[in-house]
DNA sequence: TAAAATTAAATTGTATAAAATTTAATTACA
DNA sequence: TGTAATTAAATTTTATACAATTTAATTTTA
């Protein structure tokens, strides 16, 4: 088999599919004024408010270089606040404002709308979700092992 | 089920996994002086040389806003040439140079090295590849239908 | 056939990503 | 206890993504 063929790569369909699905989110997220990574930040904060930048970064697998400017923009839009922790001034705690909390209501229909927009079966979506989650966990595990 | 939980999203593991796997390519691609999207461009051109920017964009699902500057950088590195087609001056044809062709040799071990680096089973990789490819095809099909 | 519509790239503007460096704060330990 | 090491964010730099606009070339069609 020709290993350097695009169609034989794992990386490419994953990369293209991820961008494609993000594309399906855009018109929906536009309505509530969020970008896709900003939406992911909100998902995390709606679940658990008051996380540090580091904790957010761990959950989303993004570093401060990505999160810092993004969170600043979201602060400007009054979705959240950034406050340094008194006990350790290095730590910045991100908390939702009322506006940010309230946005959850407006976002509540997005998961169903996406499922509809994608026109993929529940089986297919669930199979992909569990496969991707499993692979992600394994790769994160490898990183842990290699860094020790 | 709480639909707005990060762990219940399809989008997130896919997005994170895609970035994670790209991350595994970086040290390998660094050795041959390519970025990840540049590697994808080379994969396409190694298979079929002399494509237009549009054709490259269709295969990689990237638009000219992404490809134009990227291709210019690759031209500067003498990996490829950009020439306007005589019959239709709007079309720019991308052709590998000898340097670009020769780079294929240096890239030949990357697929195996990646497989090794990922430490995932062949079954898992193949299942993901075929699932992702299938979903991608369906989504592209939807786009075609919706645009007509 | 000349103006209108279409097409292909390039450009512009905004928003990520991520490596590397810097800054400030905290902790460890000789 | 004071310096070294570590840690958390922010900043800087480079490189995508992609929507929207512009430019130039080609086709369509009234």
């Amino acid at each position: 088999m020709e290993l350097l063929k695009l169609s034989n790569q794992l990386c490419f369909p994953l990369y293209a599919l991820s961008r494609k699905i993000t594309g399906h989110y855009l018109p929906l997220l536009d309505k509530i004024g969020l970008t896709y990574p900003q939406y992911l930040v909100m998902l995390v904060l709606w679940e658990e408010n008051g996380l540090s930048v580091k904790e957010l970064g761990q959950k989303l697998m993004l570093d401060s270089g990505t999160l810092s400017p993004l969170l600043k923009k979201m602060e400007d839009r009054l979705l959240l606040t950034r406050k340094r922790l008194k006990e350790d001034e290095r730590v910045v705690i991100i908390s939702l404002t009322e506006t940010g909390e309230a946005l959850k209501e407006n976002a509540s229909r997005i998961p169903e709308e996406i499922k509809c927009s994608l026109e993929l079966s529940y089986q297919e979506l669930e199979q992909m979700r569990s496969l991707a989650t499993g692979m992600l966990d394994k790769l994160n595990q490898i990183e842990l092992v290699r860094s020790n």
Side-chain angles (χ1 to χ4, degrees), chain A:
Chain A
M1 188 182 56
E2 180 51 87
L3 290 175
L4 286 177
K5 272 182 76 173
L6 191 67
S7 58
N8 292 330
Q9 305 301 313
L10 165 65
C11 59
F12 173 66
L14 209 55
Y15 157 81
L17 181 61
S18 172
R19 283 186 293 120
K20 186 75 70 183
I21 289 182
T22 301
H24 280 258
Y25 275 90
L26 292 189
L28 305 176
L29 293 177
D30 223 40
K31 289 187 206 166
I32 58 174
L34 293 176
T35 64
Y36 180 71
Q38 286 172 10
Y39 173 64
L40 295 179
V41 167
M42 293 304 282
L43 283 181
V44 172
L45 293 173
W46 285 327
E47 268 189 77
E48 189 178 357
N49 202 353
L51 294 175
S52 68
V53 173
K54 188 188 178 185
E55 289 167 326
L56 261 174
Q58 283 168 340
K59 284 183 191 290
L60 296 174
M61 302 176 210
L62 291 170
D63 74 3
S64 65
T66 301
L67 286 176
S68 287
L70 189 152
L71 292 170
K72 226 172 266 186
K73 259 173 256 170
M74 294 172 81
E75 187 184 34
D76 291 343
R77 288 205 207 143
L78 307 178
L79 293 173
L80 49 81
T81 60
R82 302 183 312 124
K83 276 208 199 74
R84 295 214 174 250
L85 200 63
K86 260 205 206 66
E87 303 85 51
D88 186 340
E89 294 270 2
R90 294 170 303 180
V91 177
V92 170
I93 297 295
I94 305 297
S95 307
L96 289 177
T97 59
E98 298 228 339
T99 310
E101 286 284 8
L103 199 65
K104 185 173 184 179
E105 199 56 47
N106 301 68
S108 61
R109 305 179 52 76
I110 289 182
E112 301 151 66
E113 288 173 330
I114 273 295
K115 181 167 179 329
C116 177
S117 162
L118 292 179
E119 291 184 33
L120 296 167
S121 69
Y122 175 75
Q123 279 72 25
E124 213 162 6
L125 292 171
E126 183 47 32
Q127 195 188 355
M128 175 56 95
R129 196 197 58 71
S130 87
L131 193 56
T133 303
M135 290 177 71
L136 200 51
D137 287 347
K138 279 193 196 171
L139 293 180
N140 283 330
Q141 204 55 45
I142 291 175
E143 260 173 49
L144 274 180
V145 171
R146 288 187 186 165
S147 71
N148 292 333

